Amino acid sequence: MNRCNTYSNFQVNLSPISPDDIYNKNSSENILHLLICQICLQILNCPVQCDECNQCFWKSWIIKYENLCPYWCKRPNFKGNKFVNNVLSTLKFKCKNGCGKIIVYDDLEKHYDEDCDKVDFKKKYQDLKKIIENQKKYVENKKFYWEY
């Protein structure tokens, strides 16, 4: 089951995937250009397509830029692209952390979040804890301004 079938507002946390990380590149070489984000030039992650210019982008870029099309389309509407999602689902990637595993596209996020032997989960936990603390401070500052 493809994890990107719907266009929701969840934030996609997977870091950029280089085309060089594709393990089975020969099977997708002729269409690789369709799988590249037009903003960051990395492999698409949960791609969405603008219905005016037909370009595909990372869902998280479009969310970050508040549903504005980078190609300046006047009334963009973004939807998932089933063809691109199906092709991405056929790709396999070498783990960029160096654990030696080959991972299918749909399992990349889970691999890097839970399964990779080379991820320092203690450091990851500490980094997430810092992010939460910063968010708490931000909310507290906003609350202060709202009270006055």
Side-chain angles (χ1 to χ4, degrees):
M1 175 75 179
N2 191 304
R3 62 186 168 81
C4 302
N5 284 337
T6 59
Y7 180 62
S8 63
N9 285 332
F10 74 89
Q11 194 67 295
V12 180
N13 295 319
L14 189 63
S15 61
I17 309 164
S18 169
D20 296 333
D21 293 335
I22 298 175
Y23 179 74
N24 57 340
K25 192 180 290 189
N26 291 340
S27 65
S28 59
E29 203 164 309
N30 294 335
I31 57 170
L32 189 59
H33 66 283
L34 298 173
L35 310 177
I36 303 294
C37 176
Q38 299 300 302
I39 298 172
C40 65
L41 303 178
Q42 300 295 315
I43 298 293
L44 289 163
N45 182 24
C46 292
V48 291
Q49 182 177 25
C50 174
D51 64 353
E52 285 189 35
C53 67
N54 293 321
Q55 293 295 323
C56 286
F57 309 98
W58 274 45
K59 183 189 295 188
S60 56
W61 283 117
I62 300 307
I63 293 168
K64 180 177 181 179
Y65 295 111
E66 299 175 355
N67 290 326
L68 296 174
C69 178
Y71 282 39
W72 299 97
C73 294
K74 294 191 186 291
R75 295 184 184 169
N77 185 28
F78 294 95
K79 294 183 181 175
N81 182 308
K82 286 184 181 182
F83 173 76
V84 173
N85 274 323
N86 288 339
V87 173
L88 286 168
S89 292
T90 67
L91 295 180
K92 296 177 183 175
F93 296 85
K94 299 175 279 190
C95 175
K96 63 184 173 186
N97 293 335
C99 76
K101 291 184 181 173
I102 305 300
I103 312 113
V104 295
Y105 172 83
D106 290 334
D107 293 339
L108 283 171
E109 193 169 3
K110 181 179 182 297
H111 175 76
Y112 292 124
D113 283 347
E114 301 171 16
D115 299 338
C116 184
D117 298 335
K118 297 289 184 175
V119 174
D120 183 354
F121 288 105
K122 185 175 181 180
K123 182 184 180 316
K124 192 171 188 176
Y125 170 76
Q126 291 168 344
D127 291 345
L128 288 172
K129 194 173 177 180
K130 285 180 187 176
I131 291 170
I132 292 169
E133 288 171 5
N134 288 337
Q135 289 295 327
K136 282 182 181 178
K137 288 177 187 175
Y138 175 78
V139 169
E140 287 171 3
N141 286 337
K142 288 291 184 184
K143 184 179 176 184
F144 174 77
Y145 290 117
W146 291 333
E147 290 176 353
Y148 294 98

